[in-house]
Amino acid sequence: MVAVSELVSGLDAELVRLGYKDSTMKWYRGNWGRLERFFVSRGEQEFSLETAMA
């Protein structure tokens, strides 16, 4: 399994590498922040499809 924070960090780095605009990155980072907070509220540190689909 992969930690949610590690997954988000990797996704962020990849989109920056691909040249995504700052405004687009701001949108993604806002959504990823909500996703991370959701996992924390469920007491989970690692990504799981079951939790993501909840």
Side-chain angles (χ1 to χ4, degrees), residues 5-47:
S5 60
E6 188 178 327
L7 181 62
V8 167
S9 178
L11 289 168
D12 189 275
E14 181 63 10
L15 294 184
V16 168
R17 186 190 72 79
L18 291 171
Y20 278 58
K21 294 180 180 180
D22 288 336
S23 58
T24 303
M25 292 305 299
K26 182 177 180 179
W27 184 86
Y28 275 110
R29 289 171 180 149
N31 284 295
W32 290 334
R34 284 188 285 283
L35 181 69
E36 287 182 289
R37 287 189 298 277
F38 179 75
F39 272 80
V40 167
S41 75
R42 298 282 179 131
E44 296 192 35
Q45 295 179 356
E46 294 184 337
F47 180 82

